[in-house]
């Protein structure tokens, strides 16, 4: 089975981080902004498109900071600057009224709360938290860190 390739944004604003609160199939959790890459799309094009669709904000990709791999996906985590837009004005398919897709609620979360939240994937959440504590909103500048799911 070929792994699904996707892009995720890491966006800080006023000491907080952008996330999507989700409720689906009796699960409550948070995700990083982003989604699957379209054919021929670069990782920067994907992350910009997904953040506009899901959150209604325009971002400027800075650089890739992490890759994450599990048995189904390969994800690129891109540190982005919030350029413009109002959080929660996204018009992607998530907001088209299909109740079977569950709850989608764009929000800002306190970075200090990341260890206490079910932010998916947890390996990326803990790395963001550790790097934020060490380096602030620039995270780390030592290249792309590879993260792997703990099975």
């Amino acid at each position: 089975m070929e792994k699904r390739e996707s892009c995720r944004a890491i966006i800080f604003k006023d000491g907080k981080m952008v996330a999507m609160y989700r409720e689906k199939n009796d699960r409550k959790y948070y995700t990083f902004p982003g989604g699957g890459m379209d054919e021929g799309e670069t990782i920067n094009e994907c992350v910009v498109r997904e953040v506009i669709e899901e959150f209604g904000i325009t971002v400027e990709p800075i650089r890739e900071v992490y890759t994450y791999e599990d048995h189904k996906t390969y994800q690129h985590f891109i540190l982005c600057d919030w350029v413009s837009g109002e959080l929660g004005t996204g018009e992607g398919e998530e907001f088209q009224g299909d109740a079977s897709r569950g709850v989608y609620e764009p929000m800002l979360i306190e970075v200090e709360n990341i260890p206490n939240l079910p932010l998916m994937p947890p390996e990326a959440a803990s790395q963001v938290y550790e790097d934020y504590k060490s380096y602030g909103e620039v995270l780390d500048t030592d290249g792309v860190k590879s993260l792997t799911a703990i099975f």
Side-chain angles (χ1 to χ4, degrees):
M1 176 176 115
E2 191 171 319
K3 293 186 180 199
R4 179 173 179 259
E5 192 169 9
S6 63
C7 297
R8 303 283 169 197
I10 301 170
I11 309 160
F12 296 106
K13 176 133 175 118
D14 302 326
K16 298 179 181 175
M17 189 179 82
V18 175
M20 183 72 78
Y21 173 73
R22 297 277 289 119
E23 289 183 19
K24 185 177 180 186
N25 301 331
D26 297 326
R27 284 184 61 211
K28 295 178 181 184
Y29 58 99
Y30 298 81
T31 63
F32 291 88
M37 291 179 69
D38 290 343
E39 188 171 330
E41 193 172 44
T42 69
I43 60 174
N44 286 347
E45 291 167 344
C46 175
V47 79
V48 168
R49 175 183 53 77
E50 286 286 344
V51 172
I52 289 171
E53 287 176 5
E54 293 181 359
F55 292 83
I57 58 177
T58 301
V59 295
E60 177 68 35
I62 300 170
R63 63 185 161 69
E64 185 171 14
V65 287
Y66 313 123
T67 58
Y68 169 80
E69 188 170 6
D70 63 18
H71 61 285
K72 295 189 298 191
T73 65
Y74 186 84
Q75 299 178 29
H76 302 271
F77 283 80
I78 315 299
L79 182 63
C80 298
D81 273 335
W82 180 322
V83 176
S84 63
E86 183 179 335
L87 186 68
T89 60
E91 296 181 1
E93 62 186 24
E94 299 86 354
F95 306 106
Q96 301 309 314
D98 182 357
S100 69
R101 295 180 63 98
V103 171
Y104 289 84
E105 187 179 334
M107 62 176 46
L108 291 168
I109 60 174
E110 298 285 344
V111 176
E112 298 79 31
N113 290 340
I114 288 175
N116 306 315
L117 297 174
L119 177 59
M120 300 297 159
E123 297 84 358
S126 62
Q127 191 66 59
V128 167
Y129 180 70
E130 291 302 317
D131 286 345
Y132 184 88
K133 285 193 325 186
S134 298
Y135 305 101
E137 291 185 3
V138 298
L139 298 178
D140 191 1
T141 57
D142 288 339
V144 180
K145 292 180 182 172
S146 293
L147 310 174
T148 306
I150 301 168
F151 295 103

